[in-house]
Amino acid sequence: MRKDLYKRLNKDEAIVLLVDHQAGLMSLVRDIQPDQFKNNVLALADVASYFKLPTILTTSFEDGPNGPLMPELQEIFPDAPFIARPGQINAWDNEDFVAAVRATGRKQIIIAGVVTEVCVSFPTLSALGEGYEVFVVTDASGTFNDITRNAALQRMQAAGAQLVSWFAVAGELHRDWRNDVAGLGGLFAKHIPDYRNLMQSYDRASAAK
């Protein structure tokens, strides 16, 4: 692999867009188990908070069947820009949303949302067209089934988006375990049950030194 093909996430250049994680739309997700999906969304939110990444929340047509935003997201990001779109399906068609993205001055976008082939794909393709680097968090995005998910991921990847998981995002931003073992390890343990065993072993080993 040529070095220039590795577009690495940088915590000083990245922002996070959480698109339409709304009660009604969340109920449509069938390609990931509901409890696992919610955990993944909150894990990505915790990653964004941990690395202090500018984060933008947005919803579409809350007064309709899409419903309200996950309350946990507003609790994690009480001061984040929250764009309640009155009807635009593609978040990039909303001037306030695009203005919030541009106001960060950053060019790397980490995005997740519901549903993958619409609420994630459309703004991803729009942002790529304007020169942004876009990283799609596949396990914090959901849709009806594997067929629609795979088609959406292929479409975005063909346009230049990178497909990642929330765990990969965290690792790439952190770069080096020595930066903060307990902090990142604690975040992983919170969202990955098996990772708690690693941290417990590490804590015991550290205490014995």
Side-chain angles (χ1 to χ4, degrees), residues 23-164:
L25 293 176
M26 294 277 286
S27 70
L28 301 176
V29 175
R30 293 291 180 271
D31 59 328
I32 308 176
Q33 290 295 319
D35 56 344
Q36 184 61 57
F37 180 60
K38 184 175 182 179
N39 175 73
N40 293 344
V41 173
L42 296 178
L44 176 60
D46 282 344
V47 169
S49 178
Y50 174 79
F51 289 104
K52 298 181 173 58
L53 302 180
T55 300
I56 299 170
L57 310 174
T58 186
T59 57
S60 173
F61 198 37
E62 280 193 28
D63 294 335
N66 293 350
L69 182 71
M70 288 175 58
E72 295 92 338
L73 294 180
Q74 287 186 299
E75 291 171 5
I76 296 172
F77 305 107
D79 301 319
F82 173 46
I83 313 300
R85 309 192 313 280
Q88 297 95 341
I89 294 174
N90 181 351
W92 210 265
D93 288 339
N94 182 280
E95 293 180 359
D96 293 334
F97 179 79
V98 176
V101 172
R102 290 175 177 161
T104 68
R106 300 186 174 202
K107 297 297 287 185
Q108 290 187 333
I109 290 176
I110 300 167
I111 187 171
V114 185
V115 294
T116 308
E117 67 269 31
V118 175
C119 306
V120 179
S121 291
F122 294 173
T124 290
L125 296 171
S126 298
L128 287 167
E130 294 197 18
Y132 289 88
E133 294 179 21
V134 183
F135 299 76
V136 177
V137 186
T138 59
D139 54 356
S141 302
T143 187
F144 306 103
N145 53 56
D146 292 353
I147 295 173
T148 54
R149 178 192 64 201
N150 293 342
L153 296 181
Q154 289 170 13
R155 183 185 188 191
M156 290 185 284
Q157 190 173 44
Q162 296 197 54
L163 309 183
V164 293

Side-chain angles (χ1 to χ4, degrees), residues 180-194:
D180 180 12
V181 176
L184 188 65
L187 190 158
F188 287 165
K190 177 181 177 182
H191 294 285
I192 305 174
D194 291 341

